[in-house]
Amino acid sequence: MKLQPLGDRVVVKRVDSETKTASGIVIPDAAAEKPDQGEVLAVGPGKTGDDGKVRALTVKVGDRVLFGKYSGQTVKVDGDELLVMKEDDLFAVVVK
């Protein structure tokens, strides 16, 4: 199954965070927090303004983004846990 988000929504897959601290301590899965970074898998066409024009989104497929801990709606697609959220819920694009 493939998702095509509507409006100014994006589909994001969480990127696994490190399970080991800088000092070498291993963090068990039960104690680890959900990652707040993800990869954009799909983007909607954009938000329609008051003038009727569609404003394209600033993120694109493949971007690595930061988002809030409780942002978005979780959905399961083909066994993968994905997030569907508005572009406004994204904080930044990670530049490498």
Side-chain angles (χ1 to χ4, degrees):
M1 180 167 59
K2 186 176 178 182
L3 294 179
Q4 176 59 48
L6 302 174
D8 63 338
R9 289 181 172 80
V10 296
V11 177
V12 176
K13 182 175 183 179
R14 289 185 193 268
V15 176
D16 292 333
S17 60
E18 292 291 321
T19 57
K20 192 185 291 187
T21 64
S23 60
I25 298 171
V26 176
I27 302 170
D29 289 339
E33 292 184 9
K34 288 186 176 181
D36 56 358
Q37 288 188 28
E39 180 182 354
V40 176
L41 299 180
V43 297
K47 187 172 188 172
T48 305
D50 294 334
D51 57 0
K53 294 182 181 178
V54 176
R55 182 186 59 85
L57 301 181
T58 56
V59 295
K60 60 188 179 303
V61 174
D63 281 350
R64 191 170 183 146
V65 293
L66 295 177
F67 50 86
K69 187 181 288 191
Y70 302 107
S71 296
Q73 177 66 42
T74 304
V75 294
K76 283 211 175 219
V77 177
D78 297 333
D80 289 332
E81 192 172 287
L82 305 176
L83 291 169
V84 178
M85 64 182 74
K86 289 189 173 234
E87 185 184 36
D88 292 342
D89 294 337
L90 301 175
F91 298 144
V93 175
V94 178
V95 181
K96 294 180 184 181

